Amino acid sequence: MAIERTFSIIKPDATRRNLTGRINAVFEENGLRIVAQKRVQLSQAQAEAFYGVHRERPFFNDLVSFMISGPVVVQVLEGENAVARNRELMGATDPKKADAGTIRAQFAESIEANSVHGSDSAENAAIEIAYFFAGSEIVA
Ligand code: IDP
């Protein structure tokens, strides 16, 4: 199976509760290598652009406010089938519906403050990685 990259964000609810290390342990113990990582404060414009596909959704403004409410950790994860593997590890968007043992089941506070973002396709992963990282910042 091909080695693939995906884009991940550890969201403000998780950085606030000092969960970065525990979430990274889930990735590393499940075959995903963190090949780039930085802690950043998103601007409103960055958060709006990143979640642009949700602009018409009723939760858009609240989501943007949440995403800029504290620092996030943006990451590139690499491994076999990394996009799908990370989505499995994250669990469903709504932590109440997430399978036991997933990151969101363990750590998320709500459907909005759900601790992690992960790309939903290889195409979006490439776009999202390029949005946050220069090629020279990704070291496999
Ligand atoms: P995903 O993060 O599981 O891929 P998306 O549907 O792409 O889910 O939604 C993006 C983010 O928007 C979610 O992770 C969550 O933070 C937020 N969100 C999604 N649905 C709702 C909702 O119904 N209410 C509030 N926030 C939501």
PDB file of all heavy atoms in Angstrom, residues 11 51 54 57 59 63 66 87 90-93 104 111-114 116-118 120, ligand 1:
ATOM      1  N   LYS A  11      -7.029  21.009  17.690  1.00  0.00           N
ATOM      2  CA  LYS A  11      -7.854  22.222  17.804  1.00  0.00           C
ATOM      3  C   LYS A  11      -7.713  22.890  19.181  1.00  0.00           C
ATOM      4  O   LYS A  11      -7.193  22.277  20.128  1.00  0.00           O
ATOM      5  CB  LYS A  11      -9.315  21.847  17.517  1.00  0.00           C
ATOM      6  CG  LYS A  11      -9.551  21.375  16.073  1.00  0.00           C
ATOM      7  CD  LYS A  11     -11.046  21.145  15.814  1.00  0.00           C
ATOM      8  CE  LYS A  11     -11.303  20.708  14.387  1.00  0.00           C
ATOM      9  NZ  LYS A  11     -12.756  20.547  14.112  1.00  0.00           N
ATOM     10  N   TYR A  51     -12.037  26.974   6.394  1.00  0.00           N
ATOM     11  CA  TYR A  51     -13.346  26.324   6.476  1.00  0.00           C
ATOM     12  C   TYR A  51     -14.331  26.919   5.463  1.00  0.00           C
ATOM     13  O   TYR A  51     -15.549  26.834   5.665  1.00  0.00           O
ATOM     14  CB  TYR A  51     -13.904  26.417   7.901  1.00  0.00           C
ATOM     15  CG  TYR A  51     -13.344  25.348   8.824  1.00  0.00           C
ATOM     16  CD1 TYR A  51     -12.640  25.683   9.965  1.00  0.00           C
ATOM     17  CD2 TYR A  51     -13.532  23.997   8.550  1.00  0.00           C
ATOM     18  CE1 TYR A  51     -12.128  24.700  10.819  1.00  0.00           C
ATOM     19  CE2 TYR A  51     -13.032  23.012   9.394  1.00  0.00           C
ATOM     20  CZ  TYR A  51     -12.334  23.368  10.525  1.00  0.00           C
ATOM     21  OH  TYR A  51     -11.839  22.387  11.358  1.00  0.00           O
ATOM     22  N   HIS A  54     -17.689  25.511   4.385  1.00  0.00           N
ATOM     23  CA  HIS A  54     -18.807  25.526   5.337  1.00  0.00           C
ATOM     24  C   HIS A  54     -19.431  26.921   5.502  1.00  0.00           C
ATOM     25  O   HIS A  54     -20.243  27.138   6.393  1.00  0.00           O
ATOM     26  CB  HIS A  54     -18.336  25.041   6.711  1.00  0.00           C
ATOM     27  CG  HIS A  54     -17.917  23.603   6.742  1.00  0.00           C
ATOM     28  ND1 HIS A  54     -18.724  22.584   6.316  1.00  0.00           N
ATOM     29  CD2 HIS A  54     -16.760  23.009   7.139  1.00  0.00           C
ATOM     30  CE1 HIS A  54     -18.095  21.420   6.457  1.00  0.00           C
ATOM     31  NE2 HIS A  54     -16.899  21.665   6.938  1.00  0.00           N
ATOM     32  N   ARG A  57     -23.076  27.235   6.138  1.00  0.00           N
ATOM     33  CA  ARG A  57     -23.660  26.407   7.205  1.00  0.00           C
ATOM     34  C   ARG A  57     -23.962  27.292   8.418  1.00  0.00           C
ATOM     35  O   ARG A  57     -23.249  28.262   8.703  1.00  0.00           O
ATOM     36  CB  ARG A  57     -22.701  25.284   7.618  1.00  0.00           C
ATOM     37  CG  ARG A  57     -22.190  24.428   6.457  1.00  0.00           C
ATOM     38  CD  ARG A  57     -23.206  23.412   5.986  1.00  0.00           C
ATOM     39  NE  ARG A  57     -23.348  22.313   6.938  1.00  0.00           N
ATOM     40  CZ  ARG A  57     -22.551  21.265   7.008  1.00  0.00           C
ATOM     41  NH1 ARG A  57     -21.511  21.170   6.213  1.00  0.00           N
ATOM     42  NH2 ARG A  57     -22.777  20.303   7.876  1.00  0.00           N
ATOM     43  N   PHE A  59     -23.456  26.909  11.466  1.00  0.00           N
ATOM     44  CA  PHE A  59     -22.450  26.915  12.534  1.00  0.00           C
ATOM     45  C   PHE A  59     -21.159  27.610  12.123  1.00  0.00           C
ATOM     46  O   PHE A  59     -20.197  27.630  12.890  1.00  0.00           O
ATOM     47  CB  PHE A  59     -22.162  25.479  13.006  1.00  0.00           C
ATOM     48  CG  PHE A  59     -21.693  24.540  11.932  1.00  0.00           C
ATOM     49  CD1 PHE A  59     -20.365  24.526  11.516  1.00  0.00           C
ATOM     50  CD2 PHE A  59     -22.576  23.640  11.337  1.00  0.00           C
ATOM     51  CE1 PHE A  59     -19.923  23.659  10.534  1.00  0.00           C
ATOM     52  CE2 PHE A  59     -22.132  22.759  10.343  1.00  0.00           C
ATOM     53  CZ  PHE A  59     -20.802  22.782   9.945  1.00  0.00           C
ATOM     54  N   LEU A  63     -17.904  28.313  14.447  1.00  0.00           N
ATOM     55  CA  LEU A  63     -16.741  27.457  14.180  1.00  0.00           C
ATOM     56  C   LEU A  63     -15.483  28.310  14.020  1.00  0.00           C
ATOM     57  O   LEU A  63     -14.430  27.995  14.600  1.00  0.00           O
ATOM     58  CB  LEU A  63     -16.996  26.618  12.926  1.00  0.00           C
ATOM     59  CG  LEU A  63     -15.834  25.741  12.433  1.00  0.00           C
ATOM     60  CD1 LEU A  63     -15.421  24.726  13.490  1.00  0.00           C
ATOM     61  CD2 LEU A  63     -16.233  25.028  11.132  1.00  0.00           C
ATOM     62  N   PHE A  66     -14.449  29.630  17.380  1.00  0.00           N
ATOM     63  CA  PHE A  66     -13.807  28.552  18.152  1.00  0.00           C
ATOM     64  C   PHE A  66     -12.377  28.320  17.675  1.00  0.00           C
ATOM     65  O   PHE A  66     -11.449  28.205  18.488  1.00  0.00           O
ATOM     66  CB  PHE A  66     -14.631  27.264  18.043  1.00  0.00           C
ATOM     67  CG  PHE A  66     -13.875  26.037  18.441  1.00  0.00           C
ATOM     68  CD1 PHE A  66     -13.402  25.877  19.737  1.00  0.00           C
ATOM     69  CD2 PHE A  66     -13.607  25.040  17.512  1.00  0.00           C
ATOM     70  CE1 PHE A  66     -12.670  24.748  20.099  1.00  0.00           C
ATOM     71  CE2 PHE A  66     -12.878  23.913  17.865  1.00  0.00           C
ATOM     72  CZ  PHE A  66     -12.404  23.768  19.158  1.00  0.00           C
ATOM     73  N   ARG A  87      -8.663   9.396   9.673  1.00  0.00           N
ATOM     74  CA  ARG A  87     -10.114   9.576   9.885  1.00  0.00           C
ATOM     75  C   ARG A  87     -10.648   8.498  10.834  1.00  0.00           C
ATOM     76  O   ARG A  87     -11.515   8.774  11.663  1.00  0.00           O
ATOM     77  CB  ARG A  87     -10.860   9.528   8.542  1.00  0.00           C
ATOM     78  CG  ARG A  87     -10.480  10.626   7.551  1.00  0.00           C
ATOM     79  CD  ARG A  87     -11.027  11.981   7.855  1.00  0.00           C
ATOM     80  NE  ARG A  87     -12.475  12.047   7.812  1.00  0.00           N
ATOM     81  CZ  ARG A  87     -13.163  13.194   7.915  1.00  0.00           C
ATOM     82  NH1 ARG A  87     -12.529  14.353   8.073  1.00  0.00           N
ATOM     83  NH2 ARG A  87     -14.476  13.188   7.876  1.00  0.00           N
ATOM     84  N   MET A  90      -9.547   9.432  14.337  1.00  0.00           N
ATOM     85  CA  MET A  90     -10.285  10.596  14.854  1.00  0.00           C
ATOM     86  C   MET A  90     -11.675  10.219  15.348  1.00  0.00           C
ATOM     87  O   MET A  90     -12.137  10.729  16.363  1.00  0.00           O
ATOM     88  CB  MET A  90     -10.450  11.637  13.732  1.00  0.00           C
ATOM     89  CG  MET A  90      -9.183  12.372  13.361  1.00  0.00           C
ATOM     90  SD  MET A  90      -9.359  13.202  11.752  1.00  0.00           S
ATOM     91  CE  MET A  90     -10.840  14.158  11.981  1.00  0.00           C
ATOM     92  N   GLY A  91     -12.385   9.384  14.607  1.00  0.00           N
ATOM     93  CA  GLY A  91     -13.776   9.060  14.919  1.00  0.00           C
ATOM     94  C   GLY A  91     -14.738  10.080  14.324  1.00  0.00           C
ATOM     95  O   GLY A  91     -14.329  11.070  13.713  1.00  0.00           O
ATOM     96  N   ALA A  92     -16.025   9.841  14.503  1.00  0.00           N
ATOM     97  CA  ALA A  92     -17.069  10.679  13.903  1.00  0.00           C
ATOM     98  C   ALA A  92     -16.995  12.119  14.403  1.00  0.00           C
ATOM     99  O   ALA A  92     -16.529  12.377  15.523  1.00  0.00           O
ATOM    100  CB  ALA A  92     -18.442  10.093  14.212  1.00  0.00           C
ATOM    101  N   THR A  93     -17.478  13.046  13.572  1.00  0.00           N
ATOM    102  CA  THR A  93     -17.475  14.478  13.899  1.00  0.00           C
ATOM    103  C   THR A  93     -18.081  14.720  15.279  1.00  0.00           C
ATOM    104  O   THR A  93     -17.542  15.493  16.074  1.00  0.00           O
ATOM    105  CB  THR A  93     -18.281  15.254  12.834  1.00  0.00           C
ATOM    106  OG1 THR A  93     -17.817  14.877  11.541  1.00  0.00           O
ATOM    107  CG2 THR A  93     -18.154  16.755  13.031  1.00  0.00           C
ATOM    108  N   ARG A 104     -11.768  11.474  19.186  1.00  0.00           N
ATOM    109  CA  ARG A 104     -12.923  12.318  19.550  1.00  0.00           C
ATOM    110  C   ARG A 104     -13.749  11.688  20.668  1.00  0.00           C
ATOM    111  O   ARG A 104     -14.245  12.409  21.551  1.00  0.00           O
ATOM    112  CB  ARG A 104     -13.758  12.608  18.301  1.00  0.00           C
ATOM    113  CG  ARG A 104     -13.086  13.677  17.420  1.00  0.00           C
ATOM    114  CD  ARG A 104     -13.681  13.725  16.051  1.00  0.00           C
ATOM    115  NE  ARG A 104     -13.294  14.948  15.322  1.00  0.00           N
ATOM    116  CZ  ARG A 104     -13.538  15.129  14.031  1.00  0.00           C
ATOM    117  NH1 ARG A 104     -14.138  14.198  13.317  1.00  0.00           N
ATOM    118  NH2 ARG A 104     -13.171  16.259  13.445  1.00  0.00           N
ATOM    119  N   ILE A 111     -19.652  18.565  19.417  1.00  0.00           N
ATOM    120  CA  ILE A 111     -19.559  18.403  17.960  1.00  0.00           C
ATOM    121  C   ILE A 111     -18.699  19.512  17.350  1.00  0.00           C
ATOM    122  O   ILE A 111     -18.047  19.293  16.329  1.00  0.00           O
ATOM    123  CB  ILE A 111     -20.969  18.353  17.314  1.00  0.00           C
ATOM    124  CG1 ILE A 111     -20.889  17.927  15.843  1.00  0.00           C
ATOM    125  CG2 ILE A 111     -21.691  19.679  17.457  1.00  0.00           C
ATOM    126  CD1 ILE A 111     -22.237  17.625  15.206  1.00  0.00           C
ATOM    127  N   GLU A 112     -18.670  20.687  17.974  1.00  0.00           N
ATOM    128  CA  GLU A 112     -17.826  21.777  17.465  1.00  0.00           C
ATOM    129  C   GLU A 112     -16.396  21.653  18.013  1.00  0.00           C
ATOM    130  O   GLU A 112     -15.432  21.618  17.242  1.00  0.00           O
ATOM    131  CB  GLU A 112     -18.412  23.130  17.861  1.00  0.00           C
ATOM    132  CG  GLU A 112     -17.540  24.296  17.437  1.00  0.00           C
ATOM    133  CD  GLU A 112     -18.142  25.611  17.880  1.00  0.00           C
ATOM    134  OE1 GLU A 112     -17.890  26.017  19.036  1.00  0.00           O
ATOM    135  OE2 GLU A 112     -18.877  26.210  17.082  1.00  0.00           O
ATOM    136  N   ALA A 113     -16.295  21.583  19.326  1.00  0.00           N
ATOM    137  CA  ALA A 113     -14.975  21.512  19.979  1.00  0.00           C
ATOM    138  C   ALA A 113     -14.554  20.049  20.038  1.00  0.00           C
ATOM    139  O   ALA A 113     -14.544  19.412  21.097  1.00  0.00           O
ATOM    140  CB  ALA A 113     -15.051  22.128  21.372  1.00  0.00           C
ATOM    141  N   ASN A 114     -14.213  19.519  18.838  1.00  0.00           N
ATOM    142  CA  ASN A 114     -14.009  18.072  18.721  1.00  0.00           C
ATOM    143  C   ASN A 114     -12.535  17.701  18.524  1.00  0.00           C
ATOM    144  O   ASN A 114     -12.214  16.669  17.951  1.00  0.00           O
ATOM    145  CB  ASN A 114     -14.908  17.482  17.632  1.00  0.00           C
ATOM    146  CG  ASN A 114     -14.660  18.097  16.270  1.00  0.00           C
ATOM    147  OD1 ASN A 114     -13.777  18.937  16.116  1.00  0.00           O
ATOM    148  ND2 ASN A 114     -15.426  17.683  15.283  1.00  0.00           N
ATOM    149  N   VAL A 116      -9.813  17.566  16.978  1.00  0.00           N
ATOM    150  CA  VAL A 116      -8.929  17.348  15.825  1.00  0.00           C
ATOM    151  C   VAL A 116      -9.654  17.606  14.505  1.00  0.00           C
ATOM    152  O   VAL A 116     -10.874  17.416  14.386  1.00  0.00           O
ATOM    153  CB  VAL A 116      -8.368  15.895  15.796  1.00  0.00           C
ATOM    154  CG1 VAL A 116      -7.191  15.731  16.742  1.00  0.00           C
ATOM    155  CG2 VAL A 116      -9.452  14.870  16.047  1.00  0.00           C
ATOM    156  N   HIS A 117      -8.866  18.032  13.532  1.00  0.00           N
ATOM    157  CA  HIS A 117      -9.274  18.065  12.125  1.00  0.00           C
ATOM    158  C   HIS A 117      -8.388  17.088  11.375  1.00  0.00           C
ATOM    159  O   HIS A 117      -7.195  16.982  11.665  1.00  0.00           O
ATOM    160  CB  HIS A 117      -9.071  19.464  11.527  1.00  0.00           C
ATOM    161  CG  HIS A 117      -9.094  19.455  10.017  1.00  0.00           C
ATOM    162  ND1 HIS A 117     -10.258  19.519   9.310  1.00  0.00           N
ATOM    163  CD2 HIS A 117      -8.088  19.322   9.101  1.00  0.00           C
ATOM    164  CE1 HIS A 117      -9.971  19.447   8.003  1.00  0.00           C
ATOM    165  NE2 HIS A 117      -8.660  19.329   7.855  1.00  0.00           N
ATOM    166  N   GLY A 118      -8.948  16.408  10.385  1.00  0.00           N
ATOM    167  CA  GLY A 118      -8.140  15.587   9.480  1.00  0.00           C
ATOM    168  C   GLY A 118      -8.709  15.675   8.080  1.00  0.00           C
ATOM    169  O   GLY A 118      -9.936  15.636   7.893  1.00  0.00           O
ATOM    170  N   ASP A 120     -10.175  15.015   4.454  1.00  0.00           N
ATOM    171  CA  ASP A 120     -11.118  13.960   4.072  1.00  0.00           C
ATOM    172  C   ASP A 120     -10.795  13.305   2.732  1.00  0.00           C
ATOM    173  O   ASP A 120     -11.508  12.399   2.302  1.00  0.00           O
ATOM    174  CB  ASP A 120     -12.562  14.495   4.092  1.00  0.00           C
ATOM    175  CG  ASP A 120     -12.783  15.634   3.121  1.00  0.00           C
ATOM    176  OD1 ASP A 120     -11.855  15.977   2.355  1.00  0.00           O
ATOM    177  OD2 ASP A 120     -13.901  16.181   3.123  1.00  0.00           O
TER     178      ASP A 120
HETATM  179  P1  IDP B   1     -15.061  16.678  10.088  1.00  0.00           P
HETATM  180  O1  IDP B   1     -14.169  17.631  10.874  1.00  0.00           O
HETATM  181  O2  IDP B   1     -15.397  15.443  10.884  1.00  0.00           O
HETATM  182  O3  IDP B   1     -14.518  16.373   8.712  1.00  0.00           O
HETATM  183  P2  IDP B   1     -17.006  18.540   8.892  1.00  0.00           P
HETATM  184  O4  IDP B   1     -18.409  18.175   8.544  1.00  0.00           O
HETATM  185  O5  IDP B   1     -16.034  18.774   7.773  1.00  0.00           O
HETATM  186  O6  IDP B   1     -16.465  17.408   9.893  1.00  0.00           O
HETATM  187  O7  IDP B   1     -17.085  19.836   9.799  1.00  0.00           O
HETATM  188  C1  IDP B   1     -15.950  20.628  10.062  1.00  0.00           C
HETATM  189  C2  IDP B   1     -15.971  21.033  11.516  1.00  0.00           C
HETATM  190  O8  IDP B   1     -17.105  21.877  11.728  1.00  0.00           O
HETATM  191  C3  IDP B   1     -16.183  19.883  12.513  1.00  0.00           C
HETATM  192  O9  IDP B   1     -14.999  19.172  12.809  1.00  0.00           O
HETATM  193  C4  IDP B   1     -16.722  20.624  13.708  1.00  0.00           C
HETATM  194  O10 IDP B   1     -15.677  21.301  14.430  1.00  0.00           O
HETATM  195  C5  IDP B   1     -17.616  21.667  13.036  1.00  0.00           C
HETATM  196  N1  IDP B   1     -19.016  21.203  12.914  1.00  0.00           N
HETATM  197  C6  IDP B   1     -19.497  20.270  12.049  1.00  0.00           C
HETATM  198  N2  IDP B   1     -20.823  20.091  12.203  1.00  0.00           N
HETATM  199  C7  IDP B   1     -21.190  20.942  13.201  1.00  0.00           C
HETATM  200  C8  IDP B   1     -22.448  21.237  13.836  1.00  0.00           C
HETATM  201  O11 IDP B   1     -23.505  20.679  13.497  1.00  0.00           O
HETATM  202  N3  IDP B   1     -22.413  22.186  14.832  1.00  0.00           N
HETATM  203  C9  IDP B   1     -21.264  22.823  15.215  1.00  0.00           C
HETATM  204  N4  IDP B   1     -20.081  22.581  14.643  1.00  0.00           N
HETATM  205  C10 IDP B   1     -20.032  21.653  13.656  1.00  0.00           C
END
